[in-house]
Amino acid sequence: MRKTFLIFAACFMAIVASAQILETVSMQQITFPDGKDGKIVGISPKGNFLLLTNLDEKGLISYDLTTKTTTTISEEGGTGWDVKISKDASKITYRKRNWEGDARIVKFDIMQYNINDRKATMCAKAQSGTEKLVDATANVTASISTDLELVLTRNGKRIVLNPNNTDKAYSWASISPDGSKILYYVATQGCYVCDLDGQNAQFVARNCRAAQWYDNNIIIGMADEDDGHKFTASAIVAYTLDGKSQVLVNKEMVAMYPYVAPGKVAFTTDAGKMYLMTVK
């Protein structure tokens, strides 16, 4: 345990001592209309709305950052988990619990909500819920299989990639804005990027989990600590592919699971406080 702590401390100090990548212009707290806490589970690629859910991940709400108004997408349980927004910010893909058949077997319908007409349609029925959702409108996606494999899907063709060998457990996969690289995390090793064919794996950071592409060179994730039962600290950190790093939000805030758009970084604390940073 002490060895693990010392390794993390060394990594964290290296981040603190690094150069500035982004400048924070402002930070505002986001709340539900009734003042309750919740979780941010997405931000529009255009940066014009957030997706919010309750602390128990029941319900899904769109929060317009211009008008400060909300739109209810779903009020059902489980809909606030693993939500995906299309690149053009017009569609939201989410899960809805399917109660048909044996109630002991948990199944989900995959729903797609259209922002423009405010209607939801079913994309797939009675799924297991173990596969991670992807943007259903994209021709090329990176995802994680139920066996924790890194999977590239191109025009419906599914390819399992092994950039760090087959015995590794992958998570948090996404494709860069220019479509040339895959960002992913390897358990016990850290955050990497590779080419779309799974070649040229490049190490980015030891403790940068749930990372997101800010642009084609900057990624933003969380550097978290725990005591084996709960999170005790978590910083929002930025890294560049050429080796620079920066702490955007200090670890005492226990800031977790960032979502990014041009000029914006959104996150939730472990206490359910939601924040939106404006950066440049």
Side-chain angles (χ1 to χ4, degrees):
M1 176 63 73
R2 178 174 174 77
K3 182 178 179 181
T4 301
F5 175 78
L6 290 174
I7 290 173
F8 177 84
C11 292
F12 193 83
M13 288 303 295
I15 295 172
V16 172
S18 59
Q20 178 173 291
I21 299 170
L22 295 170
E23 177 186 344
T24 299
V25 177
S26 64
M27 183 185 297
Q28 61 175 305
Q29 186 172 350
I30 305 295
T31 60
F32 282 103
D34 59 6
K36 289 184 179 179
D37 296 329
K39 296 179 183 179
I40 295 173
V41 294
I43 186 170
S44 158
K46 295 181 179 180
N48 58 328
F49 68 85
L50 297 171
L51 291 181
L52 314 178
T53 188
N54 291 291
L55 291 177
D56 60 0
E57 296 180 342
K58 181 178 181 180
L60 187 61
I61 290 174
S62 173
Y63 179 86
D64 190 297
L65 291 172
T66 302
T67 64
K68 312 301 182 186
T69 57
T70 61
T71 301
T72 298
I73 297 171
S74 173
E75 296 180 340
E76 300 189 49
T79 53
W81 169 63
D82 192 30
V83 184
K84 294 292 180 288
I85 306 173
S86 63
K87 284 186 177 182
D88 64 2
S90 68
K91 296 179 176 63
I92 299 167
T93 305
Y94 65 96
R95 292 181 175 87
K96 183 181 77 171
R97 178 70 188 272
N98 182 307
W99 295 99
E100 298 176 6
D102 190 340
R104 295 172 298 178
I105 302 175
V106 179
K107 297 286 185 180
F108 295 91
D109 296 332
I110 309 302
M111 308 297 295
Q112 189 174 88
Y113 180 85
N114 189 303
I115 292 289
N116 297 322
D117 62 20
R118 299 189 177 187
K119 293 182 180 179
T121 56
M122 187 184 301
C123 298
K125 188 177 178 65
Q127 303 295 301
S128 67
T130 55
E131 288 275 0
K132 288 287 188 179
L133 291 182
V134 297
D135 174 10
T137 67
N139 293 325
V140 182
T141 61
S143 60
I144 305 300
S145 74
T146 55
D147 296 321
L148 302 183
E149 300 167 314
L150 179 61
V151 177
L152 180 78
T153 303
R154 192 197 305 266
N155 297 321
K157 184 179 180 181
R158 187 176 182 274
I159 305 169
V160 176
L161 305 177
N162 297 300
N164 297 69
N165 298 321
T166 56
D167 61 340
K168 301 298 187 292
Y170 297 91
S171 57
W172 294 305
S174 61
I175 295 178
S176 60
D178 66 2
S180 67
K181 295 184 181 297
I182 301 174
L183 171 66
Y184 59 96
Y185 186 86
V186 180
T188 75
Q189 293 190 5
C191 184
Y192 289 80
V193 298
C194 70
D195 298 337
L196 289 189
D197 59 2
Q199 301 299 310
N200 301 313
Q202 175 189 341
F203 177 78
V204 178
R206 175 72 176 83
N207 194 11
C208 183
R209 303 196 315 129
Q212 306 242 323
W213 291 100
Y214 180 78
D215 58 25
N216 293 314
N217 183 54
I218 300 172
I219 66 168
I220 295 176
M222 64 180 190
D224 57 288
E225 304 173 49
D226 65 77
D227 60 7
H229 302 283
K230 66 180 186 300
F231 291 104
T232 57
S234 184
I236 302 299
V237 294
Y239 286 87
T240 64
L241 299 189
D242 58 3
K244 296 177 183 177
S245 57
Q246 178 190 2
V247 173
L248 299 176
V249 181
N250 65 57
K251 66 178 183 177
E252 288 75 21
M253 202 168 180
V254 196
M256 306 177 69
Y257 299 106
Y259 293 91
V260 303
K264 294 180 172 63
V265 180
F267 64 90
T268 307
T269 71
D270 68 329
K273 304 299 182 183
M274 302 178 286
Y275 293 92
L276 177 67
M277 298 172 59
T278 300
V279 298
K280 65 179 183 179

